[in-house]
Amino acid sequence: MRISQLSAESGVPIPTIKYYLREGLLHQGDQTSATRAEYGQEHLRRLRLIRALLEVGRLPVAAIRKVIAAVDDERIDFHGMLGTAHYALSTPVEPHPDEEDWREARELVDRMISDLGWSVHPLAPTRDELAQSVVTLKRLGMPTSQEDLLPYASAALGLVRDLDITKIPFDGPRDVAVETLVICEVLYGKAFDVLRRLAQESESTRILGAPPCPSGDTTQVTHQDASQDARRDARQGG
C-alpha cells in the first residue's frame, strides 16, 4: 500500500507517518521509485504500537524509541522486551535512601515481595513506586503495613494471572505483544480504578442505607473550578 492508504487504514496523518520514518520509529517502506514506497501489514502493526505507547502510555518519544529498539532487537528475549515496555510505563520516583521513612518503606516493599515469592528485579522502578506510596500514606497519618498491603497484592496477582497475562500473544509478533501489554496496563488499570470507586459507592449505600444520589444532584469540583477559586483567593489576599 502507498503512504496515503497506510494513513487511511491506520488513522495516522501522513505528516506524522513521515515524522516517525525520519525518527526511525517506523521502518522505511520498500522503495519502488525515487518518490514512492510501498508499505505492508508490519507498518500498520508498528503504527498501532506507536499510537498505544504515545496516546495510551503517554510516553515521550525518547522512551518510545527505547521500547521499539527492544522490540526490534531479537537478541532481547520476550521477557526482557516486555520488561522494557513495562518499566517505561512506570511513574518516575526519586529515591531518598537518606530518609528514615523512605528506608523503612523500601524495606517493607522488598520484604513483602520476597515473602510473596514474586520474581521482581531488585532495581525494578515499581519497587520505588510502591515505596513512595507507603511513605505518602505514613505522612498523611495513615501508616500501612505488609498485612494491609497483602490483600491488594493477592487481588493484583489474581487479575494478572487470570486475565492480563492471558491476553498477551506470546507466540505472535513482538510489537503486538507490547501493544497488548500497554493497553492492559493502562486502560484495564484505569477501568479497575473506576470499578473500585463504583464498588465503594455501592458498599457505602449498602452500609449507610442511603439511596445513591442522581448524577444531576452531585456537586462536582473540576480542576478548572479549583484553579479559578485559587486565583480569586490570591486576588483577595493581595
Side-chain angles (χ1 to χ4, degrees):
M1 70 185 82
R2 300 186 63 177
I3 194 169
S4 56
Q5 186 179 355
L6 180 65
S7 173
E9 293 200 22
S10 67
V12 179
I14 292 177
T16 304
I17 293 176
K18 291 182 177 179
Y19 170 73
Y20 293 157
L21 289 166
R22 289 196 304 272
E23 291 295 313
L25 300 179
L26 183 67
H27 296 306
Q28 296 291 330
D30 295 327
Q31 208 73 31
T32 57
S33 70
T35 58
R36 180 174 175 175
E38 289 289 329
Y39 302 90
Q41 292 300 313
E42 68 276 12
H43 293 92
L44 277 175
R45 289 199 306 268
R46 178 54 53 88
L47 285 175
R48 285 182 54 182
L49 172 59
I50 295 171
R51 291 190 67 175
L53 293 169
L54 184 67
E55 299 174 13
V56 179
R58 301 291 183 183
L59 297 183
V61 171
I64 293 175
R65 185 178 289 109
K66 184 181 295 186
V67 173
I68 286 179
V71 172
D72 289 339
D73 190 348
E74 296 287 346
R75 295 171 299 176
I76 299 177
D77 62 22
F78 225 83
H79 179 68
M81 176 192 68
L82 293 178
T84 300
H86 191 258
Y87 289 171
L89 293 170
S90 298
T91 302
V93 172
E94 183 67 33
H96 297 281
D98 55 325
E99 297 180 3
E100 183 178 356
D101 284 351
W102 175 266
R103 290 197 301 270
E104 290 179 353
R106 184 56 198 262
E107 288 171 3
L108 184 154
V109 170
D110 291 343
R111 183 173 59 253
M112 183 179 71
I113 291 173
S114 176
D115 290 347
L116 287 168
W118 288 4
S119 300
V120 180
H121 195 282
L123 299 180
T126 39
R127 289 178 181 262
D128 286 340
E129 279 191 89
L130 184 53
Q132 184 62 63
S133 296
V134 172
V135 169
T136 303
L137 283 166
K138 181 178 181 179
R139 292 177 178 175
L140 290 176
M142 297 181 64
T144 190
S145 66
Q146 181 169 324
E147 288 68 30
D148 295 325
L149 294 174
L150 283 176
Y152 293 93
S154 177
L157 180 61
L159 287 171
V160 169
R161 179 174 287 168
D162 298 336
L163 298 172
D164 287 2
I165 211 72
T166 64
K167 292 181 171 64
I168 298 176
F170 292 111
D171 57 349
R174 290 164 66 92
D175 46 8
V176 175
V178 172
E179 178 194 3
T180 305
L181 180 143
V182 172
I183 291 173
C184 287
E185 177 86 12
V186 178
L187 296 184
Y188 275 104
K190 177 64 174 178
F192 178 75
D193 288 342
V194 174
L195 286 167
R196 185 164 172 256
R197 291 199 299 273
L198 289 168
Q200 287 170 343
E201 178 179 337
S202 177
E203 281 300 287
S204 176
T205 300
R206 181 183 67 82
I207 294 170
L208 299 177
C213 295
S215 58
D217 295 339
T218 57
T219 302
Q220 296 183 352
V221 180
T222 65
H223 291 295
Q224 184 178 5
D225 294 333
S227 178
Q228 291 172 348
D229 290 344
R231 288 196 296 269
R232 183 178 63 251
D233 292 344
R235 287 196 299 269
Q236 292 174 351

